[in-house]
Coordinates of all heavy atoms in Angstrom, one line a residue:
W1 N 4.5 -2.0 -14.8 CA 5.6 -1.2 -14.4 C 7.0 -2.1 -14.0 O 6.9 -2.6 -13.0 CB 5.3 -0.3 -13.1 CG 4.1 0.6 -13.5 CD1 3.9 1.4 -14.5 CD2 2.9 0.7 -12.8 NE1 2.6 2.1 -14.5 CE2 2.0 1.7 -13.4 CE3 2.4 0.0 -11.5 CZ2 0.8 2.0 -12.9 CZ3 1.1 0.3 -11.1 CH2 0.2 1.3 -11.8
N2 N 7.7 -2.1 -15.0 CA 8.9 -3.2 -14.8 C 10.0 -2.9 -13.9 O 10.8 -3.6 -13.7 CB 9.4 -3.5 -16.3 CG 10.3 -2.4 -16.9 OD1 10.5 -1.3 -16.2 ND2 10.8 -2.5 -18.0
D3 N 9.9 -1.7 -13.2 CA 10.9 -1.4 -12.1 C 10.2 -1.5 -10.8 O 10.8 -1.0 -9.8 CB 11.4 0.0 -12.3 CG 10.6 1.2 -12.4 OD1 9.3 0.8 -12.3 OD2 10.9 2.3 -12.5
T4 N 9.1 -2.2 -10.6 CA 8.3 -2.3 -9.4 C 8.0 -3.8 -9.1 O 8.1 -4.6 -10.1 CB 7.0 -1.5 -9.4 OG1 6.1 -2.1 -10.3 CG2 7.3 -0.1 -9.8
V5 N 7.6 -4.0 -7.8 CA 7.1 -5.3 -7.5 C 5.8 -5.1 -6.8 O 5.6 -4.2 -6.0 CB 8.1 -6.1 -6.6 CG1 8.4 -5.3 -5.3 CG2 7.6 -7.4 -6.2
Q6 N 4.9 -6.1 -7.2 CA 3.5 -6.0 -6.7 C 3.3 -6.4 -5.4 O 3.4 -7.6 -5.0 CB 2.5 -6.7 -7.6 CG 1.1 -6.7 -7.3 CD 0.4 -5.3 -7.2 OE1 0.5 -4.6 -8.3 NE2 -0.3 -5.0 -6.1
L7 N 2.8 -5.6 -4.4 CA 2.5 -6.0 -3.0 C 1.2 -6.9 -3.0 O 0.3 -6.7 -3.8 CB 2.2 -4.9 -2.1 CG 3.5 -4.2 -1.7 CD1 3.2 -2.8 -1.3 CD2 4.2 -4.8 -0.8
D8 N 1.2 -8.1 -2.3 CA 0.1 -8.9 -2.1 C -0.9 -8.3 -1.0 O -0.7 -8.7 0.2 CB 0.4 -10.3 -1.9 CG -0.7 -11.3 -1.9 OD1 -1.8 -10.9 -1.8 OD2 -0.5 -12.6 -1.9
H9 N -2.0 -7.7 -1.3 CA -2.8 -7.1 -0.2 C -3.9 -8.1 0.2 O -4.7 -7.7 1.1 CB -3.5 -5.8 -0.9 CG -2.8 -4.6 -0.6 ND1 -2.7 -4.0 0.6 CD2 -1.7 -4.1 -1.3 CE1 -1.8 -2.9 0.5 NE2 -1.2 -3.0 -0.7
F10 N -3.7 -9.3 -0.1 CA -4.5 -10.3 0.7 C -3.7 -11.0 1.7 O -4.3 -11.8 2.5 CB -4.9 -11.4 -0.4 CG -6.1 -11.2 -1.3 CD1 -6.6 -9.9 -1.1 CD2 -6.7 -12.1 -2.0 CE1 -7.8 -9.5 -2.0 CE2 -7.8 -11.8 -2.7 CZ -8.4 -10.6 -2.7
N11 N -2.5 -10.7 1.7 CA -1.5 -11.2 2.9 C -1.7 -10.3 4.1 O -1.2 -9.0 4.0 CB -0.1 -11.3 2.3 CG 0.8 -11.8 3.4 OD1 0.4 -12.1 4.5 ND2 2.1 -12.2 3.0
P12 N -2.2 -10.6 5.2 CA -2.3 -9.8 6.3 C -0.9 -9.2 6.7 O -0.8 -8.1 7.4 CB -2.7 -10.8 7.5 CG -3.4 -11.8 6.7 CD -2.7 -12.1 5.5
E13 N 0.3 -10.0 6.5 CA 1.5 -9.4 6.9 C 1.8 -8.2 6.0 O 2.4 -7.2 6.5 CB 2.6 -10.5 6.8 CG 4.0 -10.1 7.2 CD 5.0 -11.1 6.9 OE1 4.7 -12.3 7.0 OE2 6.2 -10.8 6.5
T14 N 1.5 -8.4 4.8 CA 1.9 -7.2 3.9 C 1.1 -6.0 4.3 O 1.7 -4.8 4.4 CB 1.5 -7.5 2.4 OG1 2.0 -8.8 2.1 CG2 1.6 -6.3 1.5
R15 N -0.3 -6.1 4.6 CA -1.0 -5.0 5.0 C -0.5 -4.4 6.2 O -0.4 -3.2 6.4 CB -2.5 -5.4 5.2 CG -3.2 -5.8 4.0 CD -4.4 -6.7 4.1 NE -5.4 -6.1 4.9 CZ -6.5 -5.5 4.4 NH1 -6.6 -5.5 3.1 NH2 -7.4 -5.1 5.2
S16 N -0.1 -5.2 7.3 CA 0.5 -4.7 8.5 C 1.8 -3.9 8.3 O 2.0 -2.8 8.8 CB 0.8 -5.8 9.5 OG 1.3 -5.5 10.7
A17 N 2.7 -4.6 7.4 CA 3.9 -3.8 7.1 C 3.8 -2.5 6.5 O 4.4 -1.4 6.8 CB 4.9 -4.7 6.2
M18 N 2.8 -2.3 5.6 CA 2.6 -1.1 4.8 C 1.9 -0.1 5.8 O 2.1 1.1 5.6 CB 1.7 -1.4 3.6 CG 2.5 -2.1 2.5 SD 4.1 -1.4 2.1 CE 3.5 0.2 1.2
K19 N 1.1 -0.6 6.8 CA 0.6 0.4 7.7 C 1.7 0.9 8.6 O 1.6 2.1 9.0 CB -0.6 -0.4 8.5 CG -1.9 -0.4 7.9 CD -3.0 -0.9 8.7 CE -2.8 -2.7 8.9 NZ -3.9 -3.1 9.5
E20 N 2.6 0.1 8.9 CA 3.7 0.5 9.7 C 4.6 1.7 8.9 O 5.0 2.7 9.4 CB 4.7 -0.6 10.2 CG 4.1 -1.5 11.2 CD 3.7 -0.5 12.4 OE1 4.7 0.2 12.8 OE2 2.7 -0.8 13.1
E21 N 4.7 1.4 7.6 CA 5.5 2.4 6.7 C 4.6 3.7 6.7 O 5.3 4.8 6.8 CB 5.6 1.8 5.3 CG 6.5 0.6 5.1 CD 8.0 1.0 5.2 OE1 8.4 1.2 6.4 OE2 8.7 0.8 4.3
L22 N 3.3 3.6 6.6 CA 2.6 4.8 6.6 C 2.7 5.4 8.0 O 2.7 6.8 8.0 CB 1.1 4.4 6.3 CG 0.0 5.6 6.3 CD1 0.5 6.6 5.3 CD2 -1.2 5.0 5.9
L23 N 2.7 4.8 9.1 CA 2.8 5.5 10.3 C 4.2 6.1 10.5 O 4.4 7.3 11.1 CB 2.7 4.6 11.4 CG 1.1 4.1 11.6 CD1 1.1 2.8 12.5 CD2 0.3 5.2 12.2
R24 N 5.2 5.5 9.9 CA 6.6 6.2 9.9 C 6.6 7.5 9.1 O 7.1 8.4 9.4 CB 7.7 5.3 9.5 CG 7.9 4.1 10.4 CD 9.2 3.5 10.2 NE 9.5 3.0 8.8 CZ 10.2 3.5 7.9 NH1 11.1 4.6 8.2 NH2 10.4 2.9 6.7
I25 N 5.9 7.4 7.9 CA 6.0 8.6 7.0 C 5.1 9.7 7.8 O 5.5 10.9 7.7 CB 5.1 8.2 5.7 CG1 6.0 7.3 4.8 CG2 4.9 9.6 4.9 CD1 5.2 6.6 3.6
A26 N 4.0 9.4 8.5 CA 3.3 10.4 9.1 C 4.0 11.2 10.2 O 3.5 12.2 10.7 CB 2.0 9.7 9.7
E27 N 5.0 10.5 10.6 CA 5.9 11.2 11.7 C 6.5 12.5 11.2 O 6.9 13.4 12.0 CB 6.9 10.3 12.2 CG 6.6 9.0 13.0 CD 6.4 9.4 14.4 OE1 6.5 10.6 14.9 OE2 6.1 8.5 15.2
V28 N 6.7 12.6 9.9 CA 7.5 13.7 9.3 C 6.9 14.6 8.3 O 7.4 15.5 7.6 CB 8.8 13.2 8.7 CG1 9.8 12.5 9.7 CG2 8.5 12.2 7.4
C29 N 5.5 14.5 8.4 CA 4.7 15.4 7.4 C 3.4 15.6 7.9 O 2.9 15.0 8.8 CB 4.7 14.7 5.9 SG 3.9 13.2 5.8
D30 N 2.5 16.3 7.1 CA 1.2 16.6 7.5 C 0.2 15.9 6.8 O -1.1 16.1 7.1 CB 1.0 18.2 7.4 CG 1.9 19.0 8.3 OD1 1.9 18.8 9.5 OD2 2.8 19.7 7.6
G31 N 0.6 15.2 5.8 CA -0.5 14.4 4.9 C 0.3 13.7 3.8 O 1.4 13.8 3.6
V32 N -0.4 12.8 3.2 CA 0.2 12.0 2.1 C -0.8 12.1 0.8 O -2.1 12.1 1.0 CB 0.3 10.5 2.4 CG1 1.5 10.3 3.3 CG2 -1.0 10.0 3.1
R33 N -0.1 12.1 -0.2 CA -0.9 11.9 -1.6 C -0.6 10.3 -1.9 O 0.4 9.9 -2.1 CB -0.4 12.8 -2.7 CG -0.9 12.5 -4.0 CD 0.0 11.7 -4.7 NE -0.3 11.6 -6.1 CZ 0.1 10.7 -7.1 NH1 0.9 9.8 -6.5 NH2 -0.2 10.6 -8.4
C34 N -1.7 9.6 -2.0 CA -1.7 8.1 -2.1 C -1.7 7.7 -3.6 O -2.8 7.8 -4.2 CB -2.6 7.5 -1.2 SG -2.6 7.9 0.5
D35 N -0.7 7.3 -4.1 CA -0.6 6.9 -5.5 C -1.4 5.7 -5.8 O -1.5 4.6 -5.2 CB 0.9 6.5 -5.8 CG 1.2 6.3 -7.2 OD1 1.3 7.1 -8.1 OD2 1.3 5.0 -7.6
M36 N -2.2 5.9 -7.0 CA -3.1 4.9 -7.6 C -3.7 4.2 -6.3 O -3.8 2.9 -6.2 CB -2.2 3.8 -8.3 CG -1.6 4.5 -9.6 SD -2.7 5.1 -10.6 CE -3.3 3.6 -11.5
S37 N -4.5 4.8 -5.5 CA -5.1 4.3 -4.3 C -6.2 3.3 -4.5 O -6.3 2.4 -3.6 CB -5.5 5.5 -3.4 OG -6.4 6.1 -4.2
M38 N -6.7 3.3 -5.5 CA -8.0 2.4 -5.8 C -7.4 1.0 -6.1 O -8.2 0.0 -6.0 CB -8.8 2.8 -6.9 CG -8.3 2.7 -8.3 SD -7.0 3.9 -8.7 CE -6.6 3.6 -10.3
L39 N -6.1 0.8 -6.4 CA -5.6 -0.5 -6.8 C -5.5 -1.5 -5.5 O -5.6 -2.7 -5.6 CB -4.1 -0.4 -7.3 CG -4.0 0.3 -8.6 CD1 -2.5 0.3 -9.1 CD2 -4.9 -0.5 -9.7
V40 N -5.5 -0.9 -4.3 CA -5.5 -1.7 -3.2 C -6.9 -1.9 -2.5 O -7.0 -2.5 -1.4 CB -4.5 -1.3 -2.1 CG1 -3.2 -1.2 -2.7 CG2 -5.0 0.1 -1.5
L41 N -8.0 -1.3 -3.2 CA -9.4 -1.8 -2.7 C -9.5 -3.2 -2.9 O -9.1 -3.8 -4.0 CB -10.4 -1.0 -3.5 CG -10.6 0.5 -3.2 CD1 -11.4 1.2 -4.1 CD2 -11.1 0.9 -1.7
T42 N -10.2 -4.0 -2.0 CA -10.3 -5.4 -2.2 C -10.9 -5.8 -3.4 O -10.4 -6.8 -4.0 CB -11.1 -5.9 -0.9 OG1 -10.5 -5.5 0.2 CG2 -11.3 -7.4 -0.8
E43 N -12.1 -5.2 -3.9 CA -12.6 -5.7 -5.1 C -11.7 -5.4 -6.3 O -11.8 -6.1 -7.2 CB -14.1 -5.0 -5.3 CG -14.0 -3.5 -5.6 CD -14.1 -2.6 -4.3 OE1 -13.7 -3.0 -3.1 OE2 -14.5 -1.4 -4.5
V44 N -10.9 -4.3 -6.3 CA -10.2 -4.0 -7.4 C -8.9 -5.0 -7.4 O -8.6 -5.5 -8.5 CB -9.7 -2.5 -7.3 CG1 -8.6 -2.3 -8.3 CG2 -10.7 -1.6 -7.6
F45 N -8.3 -5.2 -6.3 CA -7.3 -6.1 -6.2 C -7.6 -7.5 -6.6 O -6.9 -8.2 -7.3 CB -6.5 -6.1 -4.7 CG -5.4 -6.9 -4.6 CD1 -4.2 -6.4 -4.9 CD2 -5.4 -8.3 -4.2 CE1 -2.8 -7.3 -4.9 CE2 -4.3 -9.1 -4.1 CZ -3.0 -8.5 -4.3
E46 N -8.8 -7.9 -6.2 CA -9.3 -9.3 -6.5 C -9.6 -9.3 -8.0 O -9.4 -10.3 -8.7 CB -10.5 -9.5 -5.8 CG -11.2 -11.0 -5.9 CD -12.2 -11.3 -5.0 OE1 -13.2 -10.4 -4.8 OE2 -12.3 -12.3 -4.4

């Protein structure tokens, strides 16, 4: 996807930052639909 940049889910800082983004989203809605959620599973990312 040439208009995106791939997050490094082996980097603890990346994971922490994305969890913070998710918590901010959760302030304004009742749920999330998580896009391509299997891509960040450890075995899949690896």
Side-chain angles (χ1 to χ4, degrees):
W1 300 304
N2 68 3
D3 58 357
T4 71
V5 58
Q6 175 68 52
L7 289 157
D8 186 348
H9 272 272
F10 277 11
N11 183 350
E13 181 186 326
T14 300
R15 291 158 62 99
S16 179
M18 291 307 290
K19 283 185 281 189
E20 288 301 316
E21 294 285 67
L22 179 56
L23 287 167
R24 288 200 305 114
I25 294 169
E27 293 276 0
V28 295
C29 62
D30 302 295
V32 283
R33 175 264 189 195
C34 299
D35 182 73
M36 298 294 284
S37 56
M38 73 286 182
L39 292 180
V40 302
L41 288 171
T42 300
E43 69 269 21
V44 174
F45 185 82
E46 187 171 48

